[in-house]
Amino acid sequence: MGSSKEYYIRNLAKSLHTRGPNKCHVVVLNHRGCNRTPVTSARLHSFDYTGDLQEAVVHLSTLYPSAPLAAVGFSLGGNILTKYLGEQGENCKLTAATTICCPYDVTKLYARLNEPRLFNKHVLQPSLSSAARSFIRKHADAIQNAPDEYDIDTLLKAKNVTEIDTMLTSRISGFDSCEQYYRESSSGPYVPKIATPLLAINSKDDPMVTVDAIPMEAFKNNPNTALILVGNGGHLGFFTGIIPKIWYIDPVIQFFTAYL
């Protein structure tokens, strides 16, 4: 659950402000409920919902009508950004965009997470499930104020994120099933509709996003999009050098400088 407290976001924000085109002013859109952001309605953060991003873009374009706007999305945020770009098409108010480790196919993402692998069992699932349960505990009041009834105790006993999505996220987002939620949340089908210059960066060894989930042909056939697919980097772990630094910061700055 990314937010403005994450190292990779803070590092990119600082770099864009100090080295970006015209020393960019940076705004971070936190997912609902993350980084102490209060949840004031029954809508929680989810893979499918682009309304918060749209509201932020419209607000910023109203405040600064002459300023070009660019956006970066990481992981889940990259999925939301890609879907948003496709939804907006020619009407998008963004001048350029970049995604890092976008999952594209949420169904394949969770199939990967649920594979019986040691890394999943002992690292990914415990980490993701713990974060999800913490989120539920913090925002139990908002969840219980939703039109449907949800059993908080049962949710807190869920063994993995898919169970939580089945019992809570898909239902509270208005889907009939978890399968429908994953399918309709996937951003891959929106890539052909993107009219905004988009630079997408993914890694072949990403433990969460398999290569077959990346819509290669859609990127090849859309002249507005470019895909960087590297051999190593894991999921948001693009470090290089003896003194490690995040290498994708320079390409992002170069890409935005070209378009802004």
Side-chain angles (χ1 to χ4, degrees), residues 114-192:
N114 291 327
E115 289 178 355
R117 297 183 296 142
L118 290 177
F119 186 70
N120 286 350
K121 181 179 180 181
H122 297 290
V123 180
L124 281 181
Q125 286 289 6
S127 175
L128 294 173
S129 299
S130 175
R133 287 192 294 269
S134 176
F135 182 92
I136 291 169
R137 279 192 291 268
K138 289 179 181 177
H139 307 293
D141 290 342
I143 294 171
Q144 289 176 326
N145 286 332
D148 293 337
E149 292 186 3
Y150 299 94
D151 188 330
I152 299 298
D153 291 335
T154 301
L155 288 170
L156 293 176
K157 294 176 183 177
K159 298 177 181 178
N160 55 52
V161 179
T162 300
E163 289 187 5
I164 294 174
D165 286 341
T166 300
M167 292 186 289
L168 175 64
T169 314
S170 61
R171 290 176 55 202
I172 209 166
S173 298
F175 294 97
D176 295 330
S177 66
C178 188
E179 292 75 17
Q180 182 193 21
Y181 165 54
Y182 289 163
R183 184 174 62 254
E184 297 190 17
S185 297
S186 298
S187 63
Y190 291 86
V191 172

Side-chain angles (χ1 to χ4, degrees), residues 47-48 75-76 78-80 82-83 99 101-115 162 165 178-191 202 206-216 218-219 235:
F47 276 97
D48 71 295
S75 190
L76 183 154
N79 188 79
I80 293 172
T82 302
K83 187 169 181 282
T99 62
C101 295
C102 175
Y104 302 107
D105 189 324
V106 180
T107 300
K108 289 183 178 179
L109 169 66
Y110 277 92
R112 179 73 166 169
L113 287 176
N114 291 327
E115 289 178 355
T162 300
D165 286 341
C178 188
E179 292 75 17
Q180 182 193 21
Y181 165 54
Y182 289 163
R183 184 174 62 254
E184 297 190 17
S185 297
S186 298
S187 63
Y190 291 86
V191 172
N202 285 83
D206 191 321
M208 300 172 68
V209 181
T210 55
V211 173
D212 65 347
I214 302 172
M216 303 288 192
F219 276 103
H235 193 71

Side-chain angles (χ1 to χ4, degrees), residues 19-41:
R19 299 194 285 120
N22 297 319
K23 294 188 176 180
C24 301
H25 294 281
V26 181
V27 174
V28 179
L29 177 62
N30 290 319
H31 292 303
R32 292 183 177 223
C34 298
N35 198 22
R36 297 188 297 276
T37 302
V39 173
T40 58
S41 72

